């Protein structure tokens, strides 16, 4: 309990009539009152609202509370954890292989809505999408995107609740790069205060190679 809170409670309780306060049970407070006001008789002659201390918050308790307060410096915030919160969660994708040479993507008349981080992408094979940086991946890695929310083609549409079991979207990491710089300018008028910062978001480029699970989901054969 801080000293300011203790003094505030004492100030409030000193305004309470003497009949509503319990009897003083702390010997230290009684001794202090006797030394300050010479006698208990002089203490009882004080009018209501001007008692020098409250029985429920005694001097010994306040001193013990102040002695228990530690002055250890606060640890600095861990900014690394705050920055990782902006990345795409690792459970939304998994490694399925690695491509070292050139590859060809065959277009298919199928589409999917896949979730990566806070963003949902509508993709078809051979599409190129840019998401926030994926952790633990490199250029050429083949990924399996597991958070598929919707599958469909020209005849069938399957909606997940929220995801479709067994469905996945295959993608290949094509590039890791920094987006263009964004300027953040803040000004407080009449305060001679200006601040100009720049930010470049880390992005990952993904090439969609295939969409799996539409036939099984349309027939109801999902695990």
């Amino acid at each position: 309990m801080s000293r300011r809170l203790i003094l505030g409670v004492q100030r409030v309780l000193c305004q309470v009539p003497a009949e509503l306060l319990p009897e003083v049970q702390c010997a230290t407070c009684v001794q202090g009152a006797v030394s300050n006001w010479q006698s208990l008789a002089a203490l009882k002659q004080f009018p209501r609202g001007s008692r020098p201390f409250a029985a429920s918050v005694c001097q010994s308790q306040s001193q013990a509370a102040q002695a228990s307060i530690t002055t250890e410096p606060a640890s600095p915030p861990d900014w690394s954890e705050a920055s990782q919160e902006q990345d795409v969660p690792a459970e939304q994708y998994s490694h399925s292989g690695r491509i070292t040479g050139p590859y060809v993507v065959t277009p298919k008349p199928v589409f999917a809505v896949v979730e990566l981080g806070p963003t949902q992408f509508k993709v078809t094979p051979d599409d190129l999408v840019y998401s926030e940086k994926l952790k633990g991946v490199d250029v050429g890695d083949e990924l399996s995107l597991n958070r598929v929310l919707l599958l469909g083609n020209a005849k069938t549409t399957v909606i997940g609740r929220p995801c479709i079991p067994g469905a996945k979207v295959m993608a290949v990491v094509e590039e890791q790069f920094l987006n263009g710089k964004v300027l953040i300018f803040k000004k407080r008028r009449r305060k001679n205060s200006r601040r100009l910062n720049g930010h470049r978001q880390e992005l990952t480029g993904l090439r969609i190679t295939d969409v799996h699970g539409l036939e099984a989901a349309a027939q109801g054969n999902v695990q």
Side-chain angles (χ1 to χ4, degrees):
M1 183 179 295
S2 62
R3 182 179 180 183
R4 180 178 298 178
L5 179 59
I6 293 173
L7 295 178
V9 174
Q10 288 179 343
R11 186 178 297 108
V12 171
L13 293 179
C14 285
Q15 305 299 326
V16 179
E19 290 79 2
L20 300 180
L21 291 176
E23 294 295 333
V24 176
Q25 302 293 337
C26 180
T28 306
C29 292
V30 174
Q31 186 65 29
V34 172
S35 60
N36 292 333
W37 307 104
Q38 303 300 325
S39 64
L40 287 175
L43 177 62
K44 294 181 180 180
Q45 293 177 1
F46 276 84
R48 297 179 180 178
S50 60
R51 299 186 64 174
F53 63 94
S56 59
V57 184
C58 61
Q59 297 177 2
S60 61
Q61 292 176 352
S62 62
Q63 293 175 1
Q66 294 177 8
S68 63
I69 297 176
T70 58
T71 58
E72 297 180 359
S75 58
D78 190 356
W79 297 111
S80 61
E81 296 182 358
S83 61
Q84 292 178 0
E85 294 178 357
Q86 303 296 330
D87 298 333
V88 178
E91 62 271 9
Q92 294 186 359
Y93 61 93
S94 60
H95 291 78
S96 60
R98 181 170 178 81
I99 297 178
T100 57
Y103 60 94
V104 178
V105 179
T106 303
K108 292 173 58 178
V110 61
F111 67 92
V113 175
V114 63
E115 182 180 10
L116 277 175
T119 310
Q120 298 177 4
F121 300 93
K122 180 184 177 183
V123 296
T124 58
D126 203 25
D127 281 354
L128 180 62
V129 297
Y130 298 98
S131 70
E132 296 181 359
K133 182 180 179 181
L134 305 181
K135 298 182 294 184
V137 302
D138 199 0
V139 176
D141 290 348
E142 187 176 11
L143 305 179
S144 174
L145 309 182
N146 306 319
R147 294 277 297 179
V148 180
L149 307 180
L150 187 143
L151 288 174
N153 55 18
K155 299 181 180 179
T156 308
T157 300
V158 180
I159 302 175
R161 301 182 181 180
C163 300
I164 300 176
K168 60 182 178 179
V169 175
M170 306 304 298
V172 177
V173 180
E174 285 201 349
E175 55 181 336
Q176 300 264 33
F177 64 99
L178 294 176
N179 200 8
K181 179 175 288 188
V182 178
L183 298 179
I184 302 97
F185 179 72
K186 296 181 180 180
K187 177 183 177 181
R188 300 175 180 86
R189 60 178 185 175
R190 298 190 298 271
K191 302 298 182 181
N192 194 23
S193 174
R194 297 181 181 181
R195 181 179 300 174
L196 178 63
N197 293 325
H199 173 71
R200 298 189 66 184
Q201 179 67 39
E202 296 179 325
L203 298 178
T204 299
L206 298 175
R207 177 72 65 177
I208 307 300
T209 58
D210 202 354
V211 177
H212 298 287
L214 177 59
E215 294 78 7
Q219 297 175 4
N221 300 328
V222 294
Q223 299 178 355

